[in-house]
Amino acid sequence: MPLKLTKSKACPSCKTALPDPTPPACPACGRALASGPAPRLVIDQPDGRQVVHPISDRCTVGRHPANAIQLDDREVSKEHAVVERSPEGGFRIRDLRSSNGTFVNGRRVTELALRDGDDIRMGTTNLAFRVSSGPAPTAGRSSGFTVMQGPQLFSNVLASVKGDESADFKPAAAIEDDEALRADYEKLRAALEFQRQVGIETELSKVLDKTLAAAFDMLKADNGAIFLRSSGGQLQLEAVRRRGGHKEEEVKLSATLLDRVVKTREGVLTADAVMDERFVSSKSIIAQGIRSAMAVPLISQGEVRGVLFLDTRERTGAFTDKDLRILAAIGVQAASALESAELRRRLAEEARERDNLARFLPPVLVDQVAKGEIQLQDAGELRPVTVLFSDIRGFTSLAETSEPREVVAMLKEYFELMAEVVFSHRGIVDKFIGDAVMALWGAPEPLDDAAARACRAALEMQRVLREYNAARLRAGRAPVGVGVGINTGLAVVGLMGSSQRREYTAIGDTVNVASRLCGLAGAGEVLISAETARGAGNSIATRPLPAAQVKGRTKAVAVFRVVPDDGFEEEPTFIRG
């Protein structure tokens, strides 16, 4: 019977050879090839159920309800990641600067082309990307490590060592034999090699990678992995290292082994996995013939932060008790480096947060917010506040007749002076809008005398500005005139904006009226509403002005001019622009 030759089919996107019959989607890149199941994300629910979400062209995943897939997981960011069709065909996943990262097959990724069966982890939630029907393909292509569940026994521990005892060195007088001296020498050698490899690295991922590099340099390992505990206590694969020709082999290790290391806080050595009854239930491991494996805890501040795992496939190079002690010494150093990296990360985040808060909060409030004594509401709340707007008069003309650099330098100097005045009166700088300043009293810190503080701040702004103008005149530059408007009432305050940029602000009619009063004020003038005048009481002298019709109000607004308390009262001038 003559052979029947058939032309092999290939995916038009990635050119991967396709089986016959043609599947609904390419198993390599996910491109739809024929009618059948749509690309989808399969989510494991805490109760054991699975929820299937079909994917069209773009699917966002996160904790916020606006996402296509909302995950009820505290470790997932509001906008965590997006799965989208890539220009080359198929689908890709992109991390959206999430706090805890996006992991595909155990490796943290920023962007990656997805393949059928890829395992995705966000926070503590597991998802699977599927484009075909039938059982999911074996995941783990990126990491090559799979943790096996099963009733493995632990009756054949070949060696163990306390995870934190490798940090101790005996005094010279306490060393009684050569073996103790050799043990301390190995600890020292491990510490020096670790410092040579890792040094003062501050980035967590680099600390993990360099830790494995140091372990591979000192020990004849074929595969290595570092697992770290999440905030929920689960071990999660964070870093992997493979040697040479073993990169394509899948490493399967016992969940019981990892659990034992965490619970006992001891490093464990198992040699010749074929004979080790702890792995009897794992046929894949027996088939691979793993000859030796070690796992040690990473302990810092008295807590197990994770597990460092190594294995070797060469029977003649099986690990020894000495190797376990060396790995335990590396684990001590690694735990300390991880703690330092985490501390530096937290300090950097706190510094960034403080810098961000210092943009609009006075120093005393920055400290209180940082300590949690004052909360910046994320959802917003209705609060009584006093709002101040100040605006440079004639700024358009000034900008047109001055060099751009000079205008920017002037605004920087002006904003620095105004912010300092606001802070000195316990107000917050809400924002800078062009040449205008918006300030707020009464939130986030409640103030009984918010109106009086705002009025006194406005008067000081004008005093400081007169001194600033005197310096400008001496330098041959034009003076700057500023009008100020203040209103008191209820407003919605809180952190508002997008996930990329948020600011603490107030919105509502109270804010709008303050802005309108600022628009009415001439250079050197402070105008306030009747509500602000009542709130300030006798502490602030005012003069009534004719009621003004402002945009957004059907009735005229009562207006008062604040009288300076230093006896200096210039005739206000008003120049539009």
Side-chain angles (χ1 to χ4, degrees):
M1 182 177 178
L3 292 175
K4 183 179 179 181
L5 299 179
T6 59
K7 184 179 180 180
S8 62
K9 299 178 183 178
C11 172
S13 293
C14 66
K15 308 306 179 185
T16 297
L18 300 173
D20 191 21
T22 303
C26 173
C29 70
R31 172 168 177 156
L33 301 172
S35 59
R40 59 207 182 275
L41 288 175
V42 182
I43 304 174
D44 292 334
Q45 299 287 85
D47 59 4
R49 295 183 300 110
Q50 290 187 330
V51 177
V52 178
H53 289 271
I55 306 170
S56 54
D57 290 328
R58 192 172 190 274
C59 176
T60 57
V61 186
R63 203 173 71 249
H64 195 276
N67 290 287
I69 298 178
Q70 181 186 8
L71 299 180
D72 185 15
D73 186 332
R74 295 182 63 182
E75 295 188 22
V76 170
S77 298
K78 289 185 177 180
E79 288 82 23
H80 196 102
V82 59
V83 177
E84 59 191 359
R85 194 176 294 277
S86 61
E88 299 79 17
F91 285 83
R92 65 184 177 187
I93 187 168
R94 286 191 298 112
D95 183 79
L96 300 178
R97 290 183 170 182
S98 63
S99 299
N100 295 319
T102 299
F103 296 79
V104 177
N105 301 326
R107 295 304 302 271
R108 185 167 185 165
V109 301
T110 54
E111 181 174 329
L112 183 71
L114 289 172
R115 295 173 179 266
D116 187 26
D118 277 346
D119 289 328
I120 304 169
R121 176 169 56 79
M122 301 180 195
T124 61
T125 303
N126 293 318
L127 309 88
F129 175 73
R130 299 300 314 280
V131 292
S132 62
S133 58
T138 302
R141 279 183 293 273
S142 293
S143 67
F145 276 75
T146 302
V147 177
M148 302 292 294
Q149 301 289 340
Q152 293 95 337
L153 302 177
F154 270 93
S155 59
N156 190 26
V157 175
L158 303 185
S160 64
V161 60
K162 284 291 183 182
D164 48 3
E165 74 178 22
S166 294
D168 300 327
F169 287 86
K170 294 180 179 179
I175 297 178
E176 299 176 351
D177 53 33
D178 292 346
E179 186 61 31
L181 185 61
R182 289 191 183 94
D184 276 357
Y185 168 77
E186 291 297 347
K187 295 177 188 178
L188 181 60
R189 185 168 76 94
L192 290 175
E193 179 63 21
F194 185 89
Q195 289 302 315
R196 186 183 71 82
Q197 292 271 8
V198 181
I200 56 172
E201 185 60 64
T202 59
E203 187 176 334
L204 178 61
S205 61
K206 292 183 179 179
V207 170
L208 298 176
D209 290 340
K210 290 184 176 182
T211 296
L212 288 173
F216 270 54
D217 281 352
M218 299 189 69
L219 300 164
K220 294 181 178 180
D222 291 321
N223 304 288
I226 296 179
F227 297 82
L228 296 183
R229 297 183 78 177
S230 67
S231 59
Q234 299 90 352
L235 284 176
Q236 297 176 346
L237 182 62
E238 299 288 349
V240 168
R241 188 177 180 88
R242 317 290 296 275
R243 190 187 297 278
H246 298 278
K247 289 183 179 179
E248 298 303 321
E249 298 179 12
E250 185 179 2
V251 179
K252 297 185 178 181
L253 56 129
S254 166
T256 315
L257 170 65
L258 299 178
D259 289 341
R260 176 194 172 97
V261 171
V262 172
K263 290 177 181 177
T264 64
R265 305 162 67 90
E266 292 182 347
V268 175
L269 165 65
T270 172
D272 200 346
V274 174
M275 302 300 295
D276 189 343
E277 62 185 281
R278 286 175 294 166
F279 298 103
V280 167
S281 64
S282 179
K283 296 180 180 179
S284 59
I285 293 182
I286 296 175
Q288 290 177 31
I290 295 178
R291 300 305 182 186
S292 190
M294 297 185 293
V296 298
L298 305 177
I299 301 174
S300 66
Q301 297 294 319
E303 294 185 4
V304 178
R305 291 178 52 86
V307 175
L308 171 58
F309 171 87
L310 295 182
D311 81 13
T312 178
R313 306 300 176 87
E314 301 297 332
R315 188 180 186 89
T316 57
F319 295 133
T320 64
D321 293 7
K322 173 186 171 182
D323 295 327
L324 180 61
R325 290 194 297 271
I326 293 174
L327 187 64
I330 294 174
V332 170
Q333 298 293 322
S336 178
L338 291 173
E339 181 184 347
S340 297
E342 177 65 18
L343 177 59
R344 282 189 287 268
R345 184 191 66 80
R346 288 202 305 268
L347 290 175
E349 287 183 356
E350 290 177 6
R352 286 194 297 270
E353 182 66 18
R354 282 180 173 270
D355 288 343
N356 185 49
L357 292 173
R359 291 190 302 107
F360 57 87
L361 291 179
V364 63
L365 289 189
V366 171
D367 291 336
Q368 288 180 280
V369 172
K371 294 175 182 177
E373 297 172 3
I374 293 179
Q375 299 295 324
L376 300 182
Q377 294 297 325
D378 200 9
E381 58 180 337
L382 195 63
R383 295 273 292 270
V385 296
T386 296
V387 183
L388 177 150
F389 276 88
S390 71
D391 189 52
I392 297 177
R393 297 298 169 227
F395 180 75
T396 302
S397 300
L398 180 66
E400 289 176 350
T401 58
S402 304
E403 289 291 331
R405 289 184 180 178
E406 182 183 338
V407 173
V408 172
M410 182 274 291
L411 283 177
K412 185 176 183 299
E413 293 171 348
Y414 167 71
F415 286 147
E416 288 283 353
L417 292 172
M418 297 301 101
E420 186 176 343
V421 170
V422 171
F423 290 162
S424 68
H425 290 270
R426 215 175 178 88
I428 74 169
V429 176
D430 187 300
K431 61 175 67 71
F432 300 113
I433 313 166
D435 60 308
V437 177
M438 177 181 170
L440 193 65
W441 281 262
E445 177 190 34
L447 293 171
D448 294 333
D449 58 346
R453 286 179 180 270
C455 291
R456 286 194 289 270
L459 292 176
E460 186 175 347
M461 282 179 168
Q462 298 293 7
R463 286 196 297 272
V464 169
L465 196 61
R466 288 196 291 271
E467 297 173 2
Y468 177 62
N469 281 333
R472 284 183 62 83
L473 287 171
R474 287 193 297 271
R477 296 187 178 93
V480 177
V482 171
V484 180
I486 305 174
N487 186 33
T488 301
L490 294 174
V492 176
V493 296
L495 287 167
M496 302 179 194
S498 69
S499 61
Q500 303 298 320
R501 185 177 185 275
R502 295 188 302 167
E503 59 184 16
Y504 190 82
T505 188
I507 58 175
D509 183 62
T510 298
V511 179
N512 297 337
V513 171
S515 177
R516 304 290 183 249
L517 290 175
C518 178
L520 295 174
E525 190 173 33
V526 178
L527 300 184
I528 65 175
S529 66
E531 290 80 2
T532 301
R534 282 195 295 270
N538 297 328
S539 63
I540 299 296
T542 61
R543 290 180 182 172
L545 298 178
Q549 191 69 48
V550 299
K551 183 179 178 181
R553 285 287 188 97
T554 56
K555 294 183 178 180
V557 175
V559 182
F560 295 81
R561 185 183 186 204
V562 178
V563 178
D565 51 9
D566 58 1
F568 183 91
E569 186 172 7
E570 60 183 329
E571 185 65 26
T573 58
F574 181 78
I575 306 174
R576 294 189 180 276

